[in-house]
Amino acid sequence: MISNEILDIVVAGIILTAIWAQIGTFIKQKIRIVSLQALLLALYVILLGYDLSNMDLIILGILISALRGFSVPLVLTRKIKTSSYKVRERISDTSWITVASIFILIFSFTIYRVTFAPVGYETVGDAGLSLLLQGMFLMVSRRNKFSQFMGYMEEENAIIMLGIGIISLPLIIEASILLDVFALLIVSSVLIAGRFESLKYEELMG
Amino acid sequence: MNTAYISMILIMLLPAAGILVYFLKMFKEISTGISIITLILALYVFTVHNYTYSYFYLNNINRYLLISIASIYFLATVYGTGYHRKMGGSRNLKLHTSLINFFASTMFFSVIINNLALMWIGIEGTTAASALLIVIEGEGADIEAAWRYVIVVSSGLSIALISIIIIYRFYGTLEITSLLSNQFPSSPVNSPVIPMAALLGIVGFGTKAGLFPMHSWLPDAHGRAPSEVSAIFSSALLPVAVYAIYIVLQPTMSGVVRELTVYFAIVTILFVALVMASQRDIKRMYAYSTMENMSLILLGLVLGGPAFIGAILIILTHAFGKAGAFFSSGNILEMYGTRNIKSIHDLHSRSKLTFYTLSLSSFSVTGAPPFGTFIGELLILSAMFSQGFYVAAIILIALLAIIFLSLNYKVFLMAYSSGNSERVEPISLQQIGVTVFSVFMAFLFGFLYLGGVL
């Protein structure tokens, strides 16, 4: 029997990685933080599966660690040349981002407790909602494509947490979603190549 | 296994296998062949009755979607052979052609798979399959448009997945036929979480369908994609997303949700009416028009009754009409070398055929009589009045008139304004044939309905 406290510590670790990803500006570091987040999520799912004697959850955890924990950094960091290890995103000030991400954290926990109480309250669920909003915030607050994609990956991690909090989808569906997102990663890595920043084009206005 | 079930499997598998044309010399011919066989199979499936066929199903909406996807896939494949003729047998074109096949397969899968979560996976798959189709020429703006498409749509669809999880939590099933049957021992529709599931579904799938304010990717992707890809996006892909909204709304429907959906659609059309007059790019203009048409389809499906028939009429007429409009835009882009409306002059005398296809397709997508969209709009408006949406219906009439005038005025300007425009080169026979055929088909559905065939 695994103590709930251990599971909650893992969830807290996931939330911390989300805030770390918001504040960080080094791209390679950010990719690794979100991979760490996926690995923590995988650990949570495996521990939960072990606790509930649910083989589906254990398999899901292994898939998450393989596809998101290891493959994502492998594919994305290859797009950054080794010589430009310290490539940073251009951002003027991270202080307001820190404040905003803390505010999002409090807001999301409150919202989840109000709205999802009838469904059945779970710690992993409100952390999932928080991660979802953090991911969205990461996407809209940055122009760097890597950061935007990391925001999307956080969103996808959040969906798994919300799913566990509300109800787990059948394994075949969870696995298909993971593969779908992986396919999108491959496509995105092609689009990221060349220029890392999103630009404004005259042709895309109006 | 019966023939209908085998046909459905083949409808998905043949285009999926079509991704392998990348490795073949005769990739264009084989792709065209696959699209023809798929269309024949879709026509056959259209004739079988509504039923659950193992993992797949047919109902009164997806059978029409199946036909429109298969038709547009075929037309786009043929059009592409002419439109990209200068690229010869380049690797880029091979990749483009093979991805179009795979893209079609993901759309077929999304439409007939009898599981809401797998449908979500199919729709997410359409994004992965189609993003690279936008960047065939690899220009900076194309890559940016594709990037916005991937990021905006994928994050939107993530929200839709929350809606699906909530539905699964309350109804214990994701089988679409069960969700659409609305026969549950105890309906949880009174739970406050259910309207939230509906809202998340509208926002999530609405991102893909181009509903305001989640539409930001749509004009960019449609504007920058090659014309045949814009046609598939607009005519086939977006109606699939609207259908997904419809499925999510069925088990979650309540008075509040119905009103919410109606106002989402009206606000989207209001936004289109506001921006239409200021459009400079011919393809972006038609992209915004698609937002209007998708909103009308959603309205029709949600209101039900005669409006439902109106929605089906718009799905079919819009599919061919908008394809005709994008094909015509592609022809103009090739003739004039620009997509800027102000730089396109004297179309009427330079190419009468393109003038007619552009005008007629524009009339068809803006709801001019006798096109099916006109009849569809009438049916939807009558349903709105009969269900007590008086103010919304009156506003809708005004907005539709504004969009009609704005769009057709711009077509008029391109046709009759004088100025210096260099003719770059003539367009291919395939392009002309496909464009004319699309416009003819758009013209047909209104009469088929009036004749009692539809």
Side-chain angles (χ1 to χ4, degrees):
Chain A
M1 181 80 180
I2 293 165
S3 157
N4 277 344
E5 219 169 318
I6 295 174
L7 292 174
D8 287 348
I9 287 169
V10 178
V11 169
I14 293 172
I15 294 297
L16 280 175
T17 56
I19 294 172
W20 192 2
Q22 295 282 6
I23 298 166
T25 54
F26 287 98
I27 296 301
K28 271 197 175 179
Q29 187 195 41
K30 190 169 285 194
I31 293 168
R32 283 174 187 152
I33 291 164
V34 178
S35 306
L36 173 66
Q37 184 182 89
L39 288 173
L40 284 171
L41 176 62
L43 176 68
Y44 180 91
V45 175
I46 290 169
L47 287 177
L48 192 68
Y50 174 74
D51 199 29
L52 302 172
S53 305
N54 185 335
M55 199 57 198
D56 283 1
L57 282 177
I58 294 172
I59 295 170
L60 178 64
I62 294 166
L63 284 173
I64 293 170
S65 64
L67 288 174
R68 295 205 187 150
F70 296 109
S71 305
V72 169
L74 201 72
V75 174
L76 287 183
T77 48
R78 277 187 184 180
K79 293 286 161 190
I80 304 170
K81 288 175 193 159
T82 340
S83 57
S84 55
Y85 177 78
K86 287 184 177 175
V87 64
R88 290 179 82 158
E89 60 183 329
R90 278 182 287 171
I91 186 159
S92 54
D93 187 11
T94 54
S95 57
W96 73 272
I97 288 175
T98 315
V99 174
S101 55
I102 300 293
F103 175 76
I104 288 169
L105 189 68
I106 298 164
F107 173 77
S108 57
F109 273 61
T110 315
I111 286 289
Y112 186 84
R113 282 170 199 229
V114 173
T115 53
F116 281 86
V119 186
Y121 174 75
E122 291 281 350
T123 319
V124 68
D126 59 14
L129 184 65
S130 173
L131 189 59
L132 181 82
L133 297 180
Q134 296 281 355
M136 283 179 175
F137 182 58
L138 187 59
M139 273 197 285
V140 298
S141 64
R142 309 298 169 94
R143 297 186 73 170
N144 185 285
K145 290 178 181 174
F146 284 100
S147 285
Q148 289 174 346
F149 194 77
M150 287 303 105
Y152 169 65
M153 291 309 297
E154 284 196 348
E155 245 191 80
E156 290 298 326
N157 289 342
I159 300 292
I160 293 177
M161 292 171 77
L162 271 172
I164 292 168
I166 300 169
I167 187 170
S168 287
L169 292 171
L171 178 66
I172 180 77
I173 289 171
E174 293 275 20
S176 308
I177 292 169
L178 284 171
L179 285 172
D180 229 12
V181 173
F182 188 70
L184 214 59
L185 164 76
I186 304 293
V187 170
S188 301
S189 67
V190 174
L191 295 174
I192 285 173
R195 196 181 287 278
F196 296 165
E197 300 280 331
S198 262
L199 295 176
K200 281 184 181 171
Y201 287 89
E202 176 72 21
E203 299 97 310
L204 302 182
M205 289 177 185
Chain B
M1 283 203 283
N2 66 29
T3 333
Y5 178 56
I6 295 168
S7 303
M8 286 180 193
I9 292 176
L10 287 175
I11 283 173
M12 287 180 308
L13 283 188
L14 280 176
I19 199 163
L20 298 173
V21 299
Y22 179 78
F23 302 102
L24 304 173
K25 239 182 180 179
M26 294 174 68
F27 63 99
K28 291 178 196 168
E29 293 79 2
I30 294 170
S31 287
T32 309
I34 290 173
S35 67
I36 291 171
I37 296 169
T38 311
L39 177 59
I40 293 167
L41 289 169
L43 286 168
Y44 166 70
V45 169
F46 182 76
T47 61
V48 302
H49 55 274
N50 291 349
Y51 190 63
T52 305
Y53 298 87
S54 188
Y55 299 108
F56 312 118
Y57 73 107
L58 268 187
N59 66 14
N60 285 334
I61 308 176
N62 72 349
R63 61 173 61 242
Y64 291 104
L65 286 172
L66 206 58
I67 286 291
S68 61
I69 296 168
S71 307
I72 302 305
Y73 166 44
F74 164 66
L75 292 174
T77 308
V78 177
Y79 185 88
T81 57
Y83 192 64
H84 299 297
R85 63 189 180 281
K86 274 185 271 176
M87 295 179 79
S90 72
R91 275 179 60 189
N92 267 11
L93 187 59
K94 279 185 174 178
L95 180 66
H96 183 82
T97 312
S98 61
L99 282 176
I100 282 190
N101 291 330
F102 190 63
F103 179 31
S105 172
T106 53
M107 285 189 287
F108 288 129
F109 175 83
S110 307
V111 162
I112 57 173
I113 190 75
N114 191 14
N115 182 296
L116 186 53
L118 290 177
M119 184 188 193
W120 181 91
I121 288 163
I123 293 177
E124 181 81 320
T126 61
T127 313
S130 60
L132 293 181
L133 292 175
I134 300 169
V135 295
I136 187 170
E137 279 148 17
E139 288 176 20
D142 300 353
I143 294 171
E144 183 63 29
W147 177 253
R148 289 183 192 178
Y149 170 51
V150 167
I151 282 295
V152 175
V153 170
S154 306
S155 58
L157 285 175
S158 301
I159 295 169
L161 192 55
I162 303 173
S163 163
I164 293 171
I165 292 169
I166 296 173
I167 288 172
Y168 186 50
R169 164 72 176 75
F170 276 98
Y171 295 92
T173 181
L174 289 170
E175 212 177 72
I176 292 173
T177 41
S178 303
L179 293 170
L180 292 180
S181 71
N182 254 334
Q183 289 169 343
F184 298 96
S186 57
S187 173
V189 88
N190 291 329
S191 165
V193 185
I194 289 296
M196 198 168 73
L199 180 64
L200 291 171
I202 297 171
V203 170
F205 287 118
T207 310
K208 187 93 180 182
L211 293 187
F212 179 84
M214 300 82 64
H215 66 281
S216 59
W217 68 273
L218 192 144
D220 296 344
H222 281 68
R224 297 308 303 179
S227 290
E228 84 279 12
V229 175
S230 307
I232 303 179
F233 274 6
S234 193
S235 306
L237 176 64
L238 270 60
V240 174
V242 175
Y243 178 52
I245 299 177
Y246 169 77
I247 294 169
V248 168
L249 289 181
Q250 286 313 295
T252 57
M253 188 58 81
S254 63
V256 177
V257 170
R258 188 188 302 272
E259 279 183 23
L260 195 73
T261 315
V262 168
Y263 291 115
F264 245 105
I266 299 288
V267 168
T268 304
I269 297 172
L270 170 68
F271 172 77
V272 175
L274 290 174
V275 299
M276 189 58 90
S278 62
Q279 289 313 302
R280 294 165 295 175
D281 182 313
I282 184 170
K283 289 179 73 190
R284 286 177 76 87
M285 177 176 79
Y286 286 116
Y288 282 115
S289 157
T290 299
M291 287 172 65
E292 174 214 351
N293 288 288
M294 291 307 115
S295 303
L296 286 169
I297 293 169
L298 181 62
L299 267 179
L301 293 179
V302 168
L303 293 171
F308 183 90
I309 300 164
I312 298 292
L313 261 176
I314 297 178
I315 286 174
L316 292 171
T317 313
H318 170 261
F320 290 96
K322 193 53 67 64
F326 276 116
F327 292 149
S328 303
S329 308
N331 298 345
I332 289 172
L333 178 60
E334 206 168 329
M335 284 164 56
Y336 288 82
T338 179
R339 47 187 113 206
N340 189 335
I341 293 168
K342 280 187 180 167
S343 307
I344 300 164
H345 303 287
D346 209 13
L347 180 65
H348 179 258
S349 53
R350 279 174 186 243
S351 170
K352 280 226 162 26
L353 195 63
T354 308
F355 161 72
Y356 285 124
T357 55
L358 187 75
S359 312
L360 288 172
S361 55
S362 298
F363 282 142
S364 88
V365 298
T366 49
F371 287 100
T373 35
F374 173 73
I375 302 166
E377 285 172 8
L378 281 184
L379 291 170
I380 290 167
L381 283 166
S382 72
M384 287 179 80
F385 279 114
S386 67
Q387 292 184 28
F389 291 103
Y390 301 109
V391 179
I394 291 165
I395 293 172
L396 180 60
I397 293 170
L399 296 177
L400 292 177
I402 292 170
I403 295 168
F404 178 87
L405 292 172
S406 305
L407 194 147
N408 288 302
Y409 175 66
K410 288 191 181 288
V411 172
F412 177 82
L413 277 183
M414 286 185 276
Y416 295 107
S417 64
S418 54
N420 292 327
S421 321
E422 288 294 313
R423 185 178 175 125
V424 177
E425 62 178 89
I427 45 181
S428 70
L429 263 178
Q430 294 101 304
Q431 287 169 263
I432 295 170
V434 166
T435 313
V436 171
F437 181 74
S438 303
V439 176
F440 170 74
M441 287 301 291
F443 201 67
L444 204 62
F445 290 111
F447 295 105
L448 287 178
Y449 173 74
L450 294 173
V453 180
L454 271 180

